[in-house]
Amino acid sequence: MTDQTRPWRFATRAIHSGQEPDPSTGSIVPPIHQSSTFLMHDLDTSHGYVYSRLGNPTRQALEQCLPSLEEGRYGLAFASGLAAETTALHLLKQGDHVVSAADVYGGTYRLFAEVLSQWGLEFTFVDATDLQNVADAMRSNTRMVWIESPTNPMLQIIDIAGIARLAHAHGALLAVDNTFASPYFQKPLTLGADIVSHSTTKYLGGHSDVIGGALILSRQELYDRLKPLQSIIGAVPGPFDAWLVLRGIKTLAVRMRQHAENAHAVARYLVAHPKVSRVHYPGLPEHPQHDLAARQMTGFGGMVSFELKPDLELVQRFLRSLRIFSMAVSLGGVESLMAHPATMTHSSVPEETRRRFGITDGLIRCSVGLEDKDDLITDLEQALAGV
Ligand SMILES: *Cc1c(COP(=O)(O)O)cnc(C)c1O
């Protein structure tokens, strides 16, 4: 489907793949086809659009653009990142076992540990930064390995190619949640992953105005199984949401470059600040997996975590005195956000587990936006001066 765009580079594909001018009107931007059903010309439902849960032209444009970003062949769009994940896990059946990185998005952890485990899937959560832990967790019924890199909120790096080899040696699929890096900086399918999952709510949408998800695949055999699951389960995005994600993707390349430049500047500023005890950013040479990050990513992304004194009152005073950064969950939008994992994104994780991951009461996760980086640093400076 996207073959004719293959010689194009990333930024060109992001703007043009799946997005030819509308043949009926010449509209340069793919129209929002806000229709639930489509006129049929004969009794054959195997071609053309029938009903928007099964397929919709606006969603189709997005689904053609997605694989061109990840160097995959097939894309499926969903109503949210978790809708995409839920559908991917329906490749498995009762009694199958999944090895998951422990340090995954909180909602992913709950989907696996609290919901799908009740449907007869078995999960083992391991620290996947050490390949030996993944190897030790593999069983004869392991059918999938699920990881995320960089991880949230500690920004650790997991060796995607190493895990792919391990998973495949055991006949298991590797699924990688590529939300944090975005396909601009990391392409897990080229490192051996079988499935890439996204919360398009984040960098792909890029403007904090839509919830969406996606799965991207290289192999037809997996697409032939997931495509029907997408319409059978039905967690699809509406045409307007698909259009918003597609519009966001057009500027992904320039946005990601600036996100990374700003994040790097923020990370370097924080490292030198006496009130900041630690900074987690894979682009810093002192990050324990900086070399691995430099090997498997082409940039280090826009997320920075750092630690203040583990004092909730102090942390709250800091967050409330910021003028540009907003205290909010989510990430990947043009505006800078700060979240406090211990009380916000990871509050459902038991305290002992949080501590094991390094999620202290002083840890702050920062989605560095596209404002002027000197203004961001001035804002940090005045807020840190008050704590
Ligand atoms: C936000 C997020 C999700 C969940 O996506 P939704 O769109 O909120 O359903 C999954 N993984 C990661 C890494 C995320 O940041």
Side-chain angles (χ1 to χ4, degrees):
M1 270 187 263
T2 57
D3 277 352
Q4 75 278 16
T5 71
R6 287 211 168 213
W8 292 344
R9 292 172 182 80
F10 188 95
T12 314
R13 296 197 300 263
I15 293 169
H16 293 291
S17 288
Q19 305 169 74
E20 291 77 27
D22 179 45
S24 62
T25 60
S27 164
I28 291 291
V29 174
I32 303 167
H33 290 274
Q34 195 73 41
S35 185
S36 60
T37 189
F38 297 85
L39 179 68
M40 299 187 57
H41 296 286
D42 52 49
L43 296 177
D44 179 3
T45 59
S46 67
H47 65 92
Y49 295 101
V50 175
Y51 181 64
S52 277
R53 175 161 45 74
L54 314 178
N56 170 282
T58 313
R59 190 174 101 212
Q60 170 94 347
L62 172 60
E63 291 181 335
Q64 289 186 6
C65 185
L66 288 166
S68 83
L69 305 177
E70 290 281 1
E71 295 184 19
R73 292 182 62 200
Y74 306 97
L76 294 165
F78 294 89
S80 70
L82 280 167
E85 296 179 25
T86 302
T87 305
L89 267 290
H90 279 75
L91 287 169
L92 308 186
K93 60 180 193 322
Q94 200 173 25
D96 286 349
H97 175 243
V98 178
V99 176
S100 171
D103 200 1
V104 285
Y105 177 73
T108 303
Y109 179 82
R110 296 184 77 178
L111 171 69
F112 291 178
E114 294 175 22
V115 178
L116 295 175
S117 60
Q118 307 236 25
W119 286 69
L121 293 184
E122 296 167 22
F123 293 87
T124 306
F125 295 92
V126 298
D127 173 358
T129 55
D130 183 346
L131 291 188
Q132 193 57 46
N133 293 337
V134 178
D136 292 346
M138 300 300 287
R139 301 191 205 149
S140 58
N141 60 338
T142 305
R143 296 285 173 263
M144 189 182 281
V145 178
W146 187 285
I147 60 168
E148 200 173 295
S149 183
T151 65
N152 173 26
M154 300 309 292
L155 300 166
Q156 291 190 299
I157 306 296
I158 295 179
D159 177 357
I160 296 173
I163 304 246
R165 280 193 295 275
L166 251 173
H168 295 158
H170 288 81
L173 297 169
L174 172 61
V176 178
D177 181 337
N178 201 28
T179 300
F180 265 44
S182 92
Y184 184 69
F185 285 135
Q186 178 171 275
K187 296 177 182 64
L189 296 174
T190 68
L191 298 166
D194 303 285
I195 300 172
V196 163
S197 164
H198 273 287
S199 170
T200 57
T201 311
K202 314 295 168 52
Y203 286 109
L204 295 186
H207 295 74
S208 310
D209 53 9
V210 63
I211 299 281
L215 296 176
I216 298 131
L217 318 155
S218 295
R219 283 191 282 125
Q220 183 174 358
E221 167 259 329
L222 275 179
Y223 178 72
D224 288 346
R225 292 167 66 201
L226 279 164
K227 171 72 183 156
L229 285 172
Q230 179 197 37
S231 35
I232 293 166
I233 295 169
V236 293
F240 183 53
D241 285 358
W243 184 88
L244 280 171
V245 174
L246 202 51
R247 187 176 74 154
I249 287 171
K250 285 179 190 284
T251 54
L252 184 62
V254 280
R255 283 189 291 109
M256 290 315 297
R257 283 199 290 271
Q258 195 63 46
H259 277 299
E261 186 182 319
N262 288 6
H264 220 121
V266 163
R268 275 200 305 265
Y269 169 77
L270 291 170
V271 160
H273 200 286
K275 288 180 184 164
V276 175
S277 54
R278 284 184 76 187
V279 179
H280 308 275
Y281 183 64
L284 294 174
E286 58 265 43
H287 185 285
Q289 294 135 322
H290 174 70
D291 293 345
L292 173 59
R295 265 203 316 279
Q296 74 181 13
M297 304 173 77
T298 53
F300 304 105
M303 299 298 296
V304 178
S305 292
F306 63 98
E307 289 172 46
L308 297 178
K309 208 163 14 142
D311 170 347
L312 287 181
E313 196 275 325
L314 177 146
V315 166
Q316 173 147 314
R317 197 147 31 90
F318 169 76
L319 290 171
R320 288 171 71 164
S321 62
L322 291 160
R323 293 172 194 148
I324 299 176
F325 289 87
S326 299
M327 195 191 336
V329 298
S330 200
L331 59 114
V334 294
E335 51 287 291
S336 291
L337 303 178
M338 277 203 202
H340 183 244
T343 57
M344 295 159 78
T345 51
H346 289 67
S347 58
S348 64
V349 178
E351 191 180 337
E352 185 198 305
T353 317
R354 276 208 306 268
R355 199 151 291 157
R356 194 149 40 82
F357 294 160
I359 305 174
T360 64
D361 282 353
L363 184 78
I364 293 170
R365 188 193 78 181
C366 179
S367 172
V368 183
L370 302 183
E371 301 92 342
D372 187 286
K373 61 177 180 285
D374 293 334
D375 288 339
L376 293 177
I377 287 169
T378 305
D379 194 27
L380 290 169
E381 198 156 61
Q382 65 81 19
L384 284 167
V387 298

